[in-house]
Amino acid sequence: MDSGLDKKSTLVVSLVLFQVVAGSAVWILMRGPEREADSVTETGSQDAGSKKALPEKQRYRGNRLMARWLTQVREEQVPRIVNSLQCSLSVGYCRELMKRATTPAHKLGLHYVLADNLLHSGKTEEAINEFTQLIEIRKNTETRPDEWAKLHDRLGISYLRLGEQANCIHHHNTESCLFPLKGGGIHWDRNGAEMAVEEYLAALEIQPDRLNHRWLLNIAYMALGKYPDEVPEKWLIPPKCFESDYDIGRFVDVAPAVGLDALGCSGSCVVDDFNNDGYLDVVASSSGLSEPLRFFVNKADGTFEERTEEAQLTGLTGGLNLCHGDYNNDGYVDVYVIRGAWTEAPQPFPPSSLLRNNGDGTFEDVTEEARLLRPAPGLSASWADFDNDGWLDLFVGNESRGEQVKPVCLYRNNRDGTFTECARQVGIDLVTFVRGVAWGTVTSKSEGGRAWGR
């Protein structure tokens, strides 16, 4: 069997943090509007890499179908105590569980998780209120020192977040959140940072060896413009710790001035010339299931214009990571959107997307036609021509944990707009907790210049 390894080959390397085995539940995503799915397959499967003229009603059908799938995934999230992609859902669930808690200890535990979910939902003032209540309640109960320190830490984080929202988000400037904080990065609304100092001093009195408490205390003083002079000597992280071997200068945030200051959750961006006009454009994503993909076109005058709607990307949400490459060799760069990371069964996994660049300022979701529709907890992916046939192939790393078994995937480009999964065939069907992937050329005398590794 020809595995594509009869030439000097390219190796995909998985960066692994944990080696955990897992199992899955993805049925929900395959249950989309069946008639629509059939129609997409009929009209698009002829060649998912082509841009043949289609009737207006059939154009961008893949985009509409994917938008419906993503909406369905979002609406059918299973209520859980912790859901990193739908924290607001967990807030309501925790409140309901607290009403039904049968013991004070159980209620206290849920109260803590509620406060944490409020913090992750961006409801910082509510989180501060809940953590403050917890501290008052704990004063009348037997509490271990480490539990006290944890409460002060979480309340301190909440205050730092409050300061960040008031200063770095609502009054953003070119120096906001750039380390080390100075100039315009110093908080003019000082309440959050001042309260954070109190909480981290309290935490350090309980756990003086915890470096994370010490680090965040120094950051809080920095936000107040009091670093290093007013940091207590025993907790000071000296400025020399941040010194570089040589001066690389200081970067300035120009996003507000050029039209790229878009808000979103943790996500990704790819920068390339997507319309072949000689100027670099930007596609950005956000991990939140309600957060949109965004497309910014370079206006060739030092600024960008958002054309998400014009690019037919409306309704395509989520994406912790992005990777781009010209998979169909038409001269226009396409985008692969990786979704599903940080999701655990029984939550439904959102599918990733292959967005074909039509060369006219629009993108078409051809995931199903390209045979890449495989909902999974995908975290990272990368393009490379591993079999040296002149066409880009795609490696996708998934998160496997516990009973959630989701092997990595290697998709060989069939050169007709479709792909064939072949990880097992070439010997890299890894089941592990992938945190990143990269391609590299590996030579080995014992293997005649070819080797696989991980």
Side-chain angles (χ1 to χ4, degrees), residues 160-345:
L160 281 177
R161 178 60 176 157
L162 184 68
E164 183 183 38
Q165 289 173 319
N167 295 275
C168 305
I169 295 178
H170 297 311
H171 294 86
H172 190 80
N173 63 71
T174 59
E175 294 185 286
S176 295
C177 293
L178 296 183
F179 184 86
L181 299 177
K182 62 181 183 179
I186 303 301
H187 290 189
W188 67 272
D189 184 334
R190 303 165 65 84
N191 178 57
E194 287 176 343
M195 297 302 294
V197 165
E198 293 185 18
E199 296 305 322
Y200 281 108
L201 286 173
L204 281 164
E205 290 301 323
I206 301 169
Q207 293 179 324
D209 296 329
R210 289 297 294 271
L211 290 178
N212 63 310
H213 299 338
R214 188 175 173 186
W215 166 255
L216 291 172
L217 175 69
N218 280 258
I219 293 296
Y221 273 109
M222 203 177 287
L224 294 169
K226 297 181 177 182
Y227 174 90
D229 297 339
E230 297 186 40
V231 182
E233 185 176 358
K234 63 179 178 178
W235 307 131
L236 176 65
I237 298 177
K240 66 180 181 180
C241 294
F242 309 125
E243 293 177 0
S244 300
D245 294 334
Y246 54 91
D247 185 12
I248 62 172
R250 184 169 175 84
F251 289 82
V252 177
D253 179 13
V254 299
V258 301
L260 289 175
D261 54 335
L263 291 177
C265 298
S266 54
S268 183
C269 74
V270 287
V271 180
D272 212 316
D273 183 6
F274 289 99
N275 56 6
N276 288 358
D277 66 352
Y279 291 88
L280 295 176
D281 312 299
V282 178
V283 176
S285 69
S286 180
S287 59
L289 293 177
S290 300
E291 299 289 328
L293 280 174
R294 306 181 77 165
F295 180 43
F296 299 90
V297 173
N298 195 320
K299 296 172 64 178
D301 61 0
T303 66
F304 293 80
E305 179 182 3
E306 182 170 4
R307 296 185 186 170
T308 302
E309 184 176 354
E310 294 88 336
Q312 302 298 319
L313 296 176
T314 303
L316 301 184
T317 59
L320 183 61
N321 276 309
L322 302 172
C323 65
H324 61 303
D326 183 8
Y327 81 94
N328 55 358
N329 286 351
D330 67 348
Y332 289 93
V333 181
D334 312 293
V335 180
Y336 186 70
V337 184
I338 305 105
R339 302 186 183 96
W342 305 349
T343 303
E344 294 183 64

Side-chain angles (χ1 to χ4, degrees), residues 337-395:
V337 184
I338 305 105
R339 302 186 183 96
W342 305 349
T343 303
E344 294 183 64
Q347 300 292 10
F349 299 119
S352 296
S353 286
L354 175 60
L355 302 178
R356 186 186 65 210
N357 187 339
N358 291 326
D360 59 0
T362 68
F363 292 85
E364 189 119 12
D365 193 306
V366 294
T367 311
E368 186 177 30
E369 300 98 300
R371 302 177 188 171
L372 293 175
L373 186 60
R374 184 175 294 201
L379 184 128
S380 185
S382 187
W383 297 99
D385 180 10
F386 88 93
D387 53 5
N388 289 347
D389 67 350
W391 295 75
L392 289 178
D393 310 293
L394 179 66
F395 182 88

